[in-house]
Amino acid sequence: MTRGWYRATDSLLHRLDARVKLILGGGLVVSLFSGFNPARIGLVAVVWGVLALLARQSLSDAWRIVKMLKWLLLFSLLLHLLFTPGRTLFGARWLSLDGLINGLCVDLQILLAVLLSLLIASTTSPEALAEGLTALLSPLKLVRVPVAEIGGMLVLVLHFFPLIKSEIIDLKVRKTPQGQSLLARLRSWSVQLERVLLRLLDQGDDLARAIVDGTAPVSADPLQEHRRMGLLSLLVLIAGLSGIFFLGRL
């Protein structure tokens, strides 16, 4: 959930309180993995589709997630196909029809969980995410958990991720000259990696100083004062929790 996914547009999901999105998103993910139920998975998929339309999220972002997870999804499907007992597929004893069905359902569960997280990330700024999460964790202060420090570190991490992304893109652009030996390539890669790490350390130090000095567009303490939840967010929270309770009863 980084600034690279956030889309600063005006939609219903953008206007919702970050705490509501975190609670309902977490509840939907828990309901997905609470049991093997194709009907529940289908309903969550429909919910995600409707929310993606409301958030004006492009299908290209979802497709990027599918491509990122393709090997994990294929490996999971293959494990279920080969090692799940039950009905066979095409008469082959080593191919399981039940495994194919279970594997597809598990892949859908993983994919929907990631897409729901993407939906939260694309409609909530890193600052709002950090504020919402630390607000939800604020009761832990009663047992002396340093919630304020955790919130400050979370803000720093969320702003540091785009720097890592830009350095990785820059590293991919630089191509290793062809015709070099393996040892020469390893040396070249080690030199480039060292330069990237040094630049990341310098940028991280500059970002931390900017946040502490107040020159960065983010507060060093996201727990200074929590905003009250608006009426719209409260109504959506009640309706969403009711829907999640219904999903759990399926």
Side-chain angles (χ1 to χ4, degrees), residues 90-111:
F90 304 125
R93 300 177 61 181
W94 48 278
L95 291 179
S96 172
L97 176 60
D98 292 330
L100 177 63
I101 297 173
N102 293 345
L104 289 174
C105 288
V106 170
D107 283 356
L108 283 175
Q109 287 174 319
I110 296 173
L111 186 59

Side-chain angles (χ1 to χ4, degrees), residues 127-248:
E127 294 84 5
L129 278 175
E131 181 183 357
L133 184 59
T134 49
L136 294 176
L137 295 177
S138 58
L140 295 178
K141 291 189 295 184
L142 297 176
V143 291
R144 298 184 178 181
V145 174
V147 179
E149 290 77 4
I150 293 174
M153 288 298 298
L154 181 60
V155 172
L156 182 61
V157 169
L158 289 175
H159 281 76
F160 193 61
F161 277 159
L163 300 179
I164 299 177
K165 181 180 178 181
S166 63
E167 291 294 341
I168 292 176
I169 293 175
D170 182 64
L171 189 60
K172 287 182 178 180
V173 171
R174 301 179 183 180
K175 295 183 178 180
T176 305
Q178 298 295 328
Q180 288 186 344
S181 64
L182 179 60
L183 182 59
R185 289 188 178 187
L186 290 176
R187 288 177 179 175
S188 176
W189 291 338
S190 64
V191 171
Q192 293 182 19
L193 181 60
E194 181 182 0
R195 293 173 180 173
V196 168
L197 291 177
L198 289 175
R199 285 199 301 268
L200 285 175
L201 288 174
D202 291 337
Q203 293 179 23
D205 183 66
D206 294 340
L207 177 60
R209 292 178 184 275
I211 292 176
V212 173
D213 296 339
T215 57
V218 59
S219 170
D221 184 5
L223 286 177
Q224 290 179 355
E225 183 179 358
H226 297 312
R227 296 180 292 107
R228 288 189 177 182
M229 194 175 296
L231 179 60
L232 174 63
S233 297
L234 185 59
L235 292 176
V236 171
L237 178 61
I238 296 174
L241 289 177
S242 302
I244 291 172
F245 177 76
F246 169 75
L247 286 175

Side-chain angles (χ1 to χ4, degrees), residues 2-9 14 120-126:
T2 67
R3 188 175 295 278
W5 290 108
Y6 178 58
R7 302 290 184 269
T9 59
H14 283 77
I120 297 175
S122 62
T123 59
T124 317
S125 66

